[in-house]
Amino acid sequence: MKKTLLSVFAAALVVSAIGGTSYAAEHGDLYQYNNDKVAYGMGVETDSGNRPLGAVAAEREYGDMGALFIGEAAKKRLWLTFDEGYENGYTAQILDILKNKNVRAVFFVTYDYAMKNPGLIQRMIDEGHTVGNHTYSHPSLPECTPEELYTELAMLHEYIKEQFNYDMYVMRPPKGEFSERVLACAKSLGYTTVLWSFAYQDWETANQPSLSAAYDKITSKTHNGAVYLLHAVSETNTKVLGSVIDYWHENGYIITPM
């Protein structure tokens, strides 16, 4: 899935300092794409393979635009992804578990997270995980102008490149809100937009589910091609992660990097 980012990426910022050439003049094609906001959710209905119908439908509709919601139905593989908006003291433990289980995951980070936690970002890279673009400031991307949209992706990409010598190639839109314009913009810059086929209410740090409830919820939704979204701020996720990975392995699932 890894792609080489276009060499002109940094030039996608809003206005040229020389000659006053506007972004719109250089990239006006983005205005042609539908910008109706899609507030993604995969729903609860599933097919005979336990695959969420909403994710399957979204993959069918937007897959050709460089988006991933769910993988192939015929393969017992899945992706494990974490959103990192802020650090709550659990990411190092998550990385320990992944290292112990020999599993590679995807961590979607914002600028604020990367700036405050350089040691964790470096460890993710050193241990073979994928660091993904969760935008510079975590806005709703369909509410951005094309200029702002490019800037949100470009500024974080350039920061990670400069600080860690790492080129990101997957991105996740904040809150799962996207549009055809967002997908087209990301694809033009070499990104795959990664959504999910599993998520649950794990981000409320003061209202964490019990260990048994979390384990049952996560494992009972296992399906071929699953893209799991977990939040690394969750104490419960951290505590059940090793057992969940064991369950997947025992049932023949391969957890694959992006």
Side-chain angles (χ1 to χ4, degrees):
M1 183 177 294
K2 185 172 182 178
K3 300 178 181 179
T4 301
L5 201 69
L6 299 179
S7 61
V8 297
F9 196 114
L13 299 180
V14 182
V15 178
S16 171
I18 301 175
T21 302
S22 71
Y23 171 94
E26 295 291 332
H27 303 278
D29 58 321
L30 273 188
Y31 286 90
Q32 300 177 23
Y33 289 93
N34 188 309
N35 196 43
D36 291 344
K37 181 189 294 187
V38 178
Y40 174 69
M42 71 280 173
V44 297
E45 295 185 32
T46 59
D47 63 15
S48 59
N50 208 29
R51 288 160 54 88
L53 296 181
V56 173
E59 183 68 31
R60 186 182 305 117
E61 184 170 1
Y62 299 109
D64 288 344
M65 296 193 71
L68 174 67
F69 299 82
I70 192 168
E72 297 177 58
K75 294 187 177 181
K76 296 190 72 171
R77 71 170 182 175
L78 56 85
W79 292 275
L80 177 60
T81 77
F82 295 90
D83 280 5
E84 295 273 22
Y86 65 94
E87 181 53 42
N88 198 32
Y90 298 116
T91 303
Q93 297 175 55
I94 290 170
L95 289 168
D96 288 343
I97 294 166
L98 296 174
K99 186 174 183 179
N100 179 260
K101 301 295 183 181
N102 194 29
V103 166
R104 303 293 180 268
V106 186
F107 294 88
F108 289 97
V109 305
T110 62
Y111 165 76
D112 189 67
Y113 184 90
M115 182 268 294
K116 292 179 179 177
N117 301 280
L120 290 173
I121 299 293
Q122 191 63 60
R123 185 177 171 189
M124 293 169 190
I125 295 168
D126 290 345
E127 295 182 3
H129 303 291
T130 300
V131 177
N133 194 329
H134 202 34
T135 73
Y136 189 86
S137 65
H138 205 263
S140 173
L141 293 180
E143 296 178 9
C144 295
T145 65
E147 294 92 336
E148 293 166 341
L149 173 56
Y150 265 80
T151 301
E152 281 289 333
L153 296 175
M155 287 180 67
L156 180 58
H157 184 94
E158 292 305 310
Y159 179 81
I160 297 295
K161 176 65 174 178
E162 291 173 3
Q163 297 296 316
F164 304 99
N165 193 31
Y166 182 87
D167 282 303
M168 296 184 292
Y169 51 90
V170 291
M171 85 90 161
R172 173 167 285 155
K175 298 178 283 188
E177 295 179 347
F178 68 93
S179 66
E180 291 185 3
R181 178 184 292 174
V182 171
L183 299 182
C185 177
K187 186 177 181 180
S188 75
L189 296 174
Y191 275 102
T192 295
T193 300
V194 180
L195 281 299
W196 59 82
S197 63
F198 172 88
Y200 80 120
Q201 195 167 339
D202 61 348
W203 60 87
E204 294 183 1
T205 58
N207 186 30
Q208 288 286 287
S210 69
L211 297 183
S212 60
Y215 175 86
D216 290 345
K217 180 77 169 180
I218 296 170
T219 57
S220 68
K221 300 296 184 179
T222 301
H223 53 273
N224 290 6
V227 182
Y228 270 83
L229 162 57
L230 301 178
H231 287 83
V233 297
S234 167
E235 178 183 13
T236 300
N237 285 345
T238 306
K239 289 182 176 179
V240 303
L241 182 59
S243 297
V244 168
I245 290 172
D246 288 343
Y247 173 88
W248 288 332
H249 284 163
E250 289 165 4
N251 284 274
Y253 282 89
I254 297 172
I255 306 167
T256 183
M258 287 192 171

